[in-house]
Amino acid sequence: MKSIGMRILVSCILTVAISLFTLGGFACISTVNLVNSSMTASAQVAAERAYWEMRSYTNIARELGTMSQLSDSSTSDSELSEIVQQIIERHELQKCNIIKPNGESFDGNNYSDREYFQNAMKGNVTVTEPIVSRVTGELMIIIAAPIWKNGITGETAGCITIVPDPEFLNDIVRSIKVSDNCGAYIIDKNGNTIADLDSEIVKRGENIEQLAAADTSGQAGYKTLAKAHESMRAGESGVARYTLNGVSKFLSYAPIQDSNGWSLAVYAPTGDFMDSTSRAIVMTVILLIAACVVSAFISVCLGRKIGSSVRACTERIEKLVHIK
């Protein structure tokens, strides 16, 4: 009789335990997949926004290059200066400059050795890598476009450069919000950080791959993050998980289209998403214990009932045997 009751007890407890553990495991896997999907979507949307922001500025530069006044030799430097000021105010730019075919500008400098000027004279629009201005100390991205003779595409007659608000890339990453403690950043084709929540990181050109190579603390997180940055520089999209300074984080990244190798990454501590799952696991364990206790009680009662019935049946059979 004890054997029957024990078997019923074990079967009930195993059924309940397996069901609850399966449910808890499915919840954990679902949470991780949901987080990866959410962060991947956020990275892709932010990368697309960065692309359109850059495209809007390149379109501005391209359109300015068709202004016939800029290629007219009768336009004086003072008139050019006035036109430049109007352009800055109209498009809310940090700076604008007009360069003549010989590389001379009305600001007194010669830009003939600049790659963006040379590209513009070949009829191309160029977006430079972010650099720190020696004058203002701020991050500066130069967008250069050809000035067309008489405003008609064909023969170049100079170059026009515009410099957007130095914070426009940082503003993009600051707008990303996937959790309470999330963040985002952009790296260029060399792995240098060109946009971050912290502008100081951008100014010093933080490079995770270089930090990982120089790291002597043995943190595996740097190597994992550096490997993700290699994929970012290769123009790939993906997700990763790493731990730095004892904090585990999710990371998702996506390339910025037509940006000369830029890539955007979104990161967030796993605790922002997994704390609720951890609470769910604790609740699952509590429910498991409670369910096992209830199952044990029911199993004992059921075992006794079945046992008593079997005992009664056995006694009747024995009596029948004695009668014969």
Side-chain angles (χ1 to χ4, degrees):
M1 304 307 140
K2 292 182 179 179
S3 177
I4 294 176
M6 183 58 67
R7 289 180 180 179
I8 294 174
L9 175 61
V10 172
S11 297
C12 288
I13 291 177
L14 285 176
T15 301
V16 172
I18 292 173
S19 299
L20 289 176
F21 274 124
T22 301
L23 181 62
F26 179 76
C28 290
I29 294 173
S30 297
T31 299
V32 172
N33 289 338
L34 181 62
V35 170
N36 287 339
S37 298
S38 175
M39 293 192 64
T40 298
S42 297
Q44 291 173 342
V45 169
E48 188 173 350
R49 177 186 168 186
Y51 161 71
W52 284 109
E53 289 269 5
M54 290 302 304
R55 184 169 179 176
S56 67
Y57 283 118
T58 57
N59 286 340
I60 289 172
R62 186 178 286 109
E63 182 181 351
L64 292 173
T66 62
M67 295 177 63
S68 58
Q69 303 98 307
L70 302 185
S71 61
D72 191 341
S73 59
S74 64
T75 305
S76 65
D77 285 352
S78 61
E79 290 174 326
L80 287 176
S81 179
E82 185 178 346
I83 292 173
V84 163
Q85 191 58 40
Q86 291 174 353
I87 291 172
I88 292 175
E89 293 175 358
R90 185 188 316 138
H91 299 288
E92 299 180 348
L93 303 173
Q94 184 188 36
K95 187 179 179 182
C96 176
N97 195 16
I98 296 172
I99 308 172
K100 298 176 181 179
N102 60 1
E104 296 290 338
S105 171
F106 69 89
D107 65 4
N109 296 315
N110 188 295
Y111 298 90
S112 58
D113 61 340
R114 304 295 201 276
E115 184 177 358
Y116 61 79
F117 168 77
Q118 295 169 1
N119 286 336
M121 293 305 295
K122 294 176 183 178
N124 302 317
V125 177
T126 303
V127 179
T128 69
E129 297 295 334
I131 58 175
V132 176
S133 171
R134 288 174 291 182
V135 177
T136 64
E138 297 289 343
L139 185 71
M140 182 172 65
I141 297 174
I142 299 173
I143 301 171
I147 294 175
W148 301 106
K149 187 174 182 179
N150 299 321
I152 302 173
T153 303
E155 181 182 349
T156 56
C159 168
I160 183 167
T161 64
I162 62 173
V163 178
D165 184 333
E167 287 293 309
F168 87 96
L169 284 178
N170 291 336
D171 288 341
I172 292 174
V173 299
R174 289 175 185 140
S175 68
I176 300 171
K177 198 69 176 176
V178 295
S179 71
D180 293 336
N181 302 293
C182 72
Y185 58 89
I186 299 174
I187 64 172
D188 62 16
K189 63 181 180 182
N190 299 313
N192 299 319
T193 303
I194 59 174
D196 194 275
L197 301 179
D198 185 355
S199 297
E200 292 302 315
I201 290 178
V202 178
K203 290 180 181 179
R204 64 173 180 264
E206 183 179 84
N207 188 305
I208 291 297
E209 292 176 71
Q210 293 177 1
L211 290 177
D215 179 50
T216 57
S217 64
Q219 289 196 73
Y222 267 127
K223 293 182 179 179
T224 303
L225 189 55
K227 189 173 182 180
H229 277 218
E230 288 179 11
S231 298
M232 291 171 68
R233 290 193 296 105
E236 300 173 4
S237 297
V239 294
R241 190 169 176 176
Y242 66 98
T243 301
L244 276 179
N245 302 318
V247 180
S248 178
K249 296 181 180 181
F250 289 111
L251 179 79
S252 178
Y253 51 88
I256 299 175
Q257 184 182 351
D258 297 336
S259 62
N260 196 25
W262 298 359
S263 185
L264 184 145
V266 179
Y267 63 87
T270 56
D272 284 5
F273 306 98
M274 302 305 291
D275 283 349
S276 58
T277 303
S278 299
R279 289 193 291 270
I281 292 174
V282 172
M283 289 300 299
T284 299
V285 173
I286 294 173
L287 288 174
L288 174 61
I289 295 173
C292 287
V293 171
V294 173
S295 297
F297 176 76
I298 294 174
S299 298
V300 170
C301 293
L302 185 59
R304 287 178 179 176
K305 187 174 181 180
I306 294 176
S308 62
S309 299
V310 173
R311 187 180 298 107
C313 181
T314 302
E315 290 175 352
R316 288 177 183 174
I317 292 174
E318 287 177 350
K319 287 180 181 179
L320 288 173
V321 170
H322 288 308
I323 291 175
K324 291 180 179 180

